[in-house]
Amino acid sequence: MPKSVVYNGCSVGENPLCCFDDLTQEECDFVEENSVEVEYKRGENICKQGSFASHIMVMKEGLAKIYLENGNDALILKILPAINMIGLPALFEGNNTFPYSVQTYMDSTVKQIEIGAFKKLIESNAKFAGQVISMLAENTVIINGRFFCLTKKQTYGRLADVLLCLSNRIYKTDKFPLQLTRKDLAELSSMSVESTTRILTKFKDEGLIAVHCNEIEILNADKLLEISAIG
């Protein structure tokens, strides 16, 4: 029997908006009639935890973090790259607020779809509804993996997970732009900025990564995977 693998990705999978491929032309027109595009600057809130959820949103361009807030404390649930949805948990009956906050890491473009119109598509198109359910299920797997990483892994394993996620699932290349600050990386890894900087330096000294002015390059992904597995 194969060994179970705990998935520790920090972001969503491939083609998360394939649900829209199952819409008819009439339904696509319906979406356009009930949506609007909004531009956000770096550091702006796309939505606030506890605020009224009037729209389901699609991140068309940019990068953001989804996080829970409690006073001055925050827990990042996942990173949201372009071509992903925001607000799906607000679809379930009895809830009309966002269960999390979303803030941009860079200038972003978001398409807001009126939530009532989105629900009508779910009710009228079974394939579309099935794809939405699949996305919600994947999000559950991602969040479970994140909690395992943050509660069971040591600092080296947590930062290795974040670097691998950025490389494999966000930018999809070994060399990617350093659009996240040391503080951002520290928040994702749930550690101090000082610890994050120290571990990055150690990874660099050991030849696992290269840090350029505006880029990080993964030089030894296998070793980072080993560090991640050991935790």
Side-chain angles (χ1 to χ4, degrees), residues 169-187:
R169 300 178 70 84
I170 302 295
Y171 298 103
K172 298 179 174 61
T173 177
D174 289 338
K175 182 185 289 187
F176 50 88
L178 195 57
Q179 294 170 316
L180 275 64
T181 65
R182 293 290 193 277
K183 182 176 183 293
D184 293 331
L185 292 173
E187 287 180 344

Side-chain angles (χ1 to χ4, degrees), residues 11-18 83-84 135 138 168-169 172:
S11 183
V12 291
E14 300 291 335
N15 197 18
L17 296 186
C18 59
I83 318 301
N84 278 284
M135 280 188 285
E138 183 188 24
N168 297 332
R169 300 178 70 84
K172 298 179 174 61

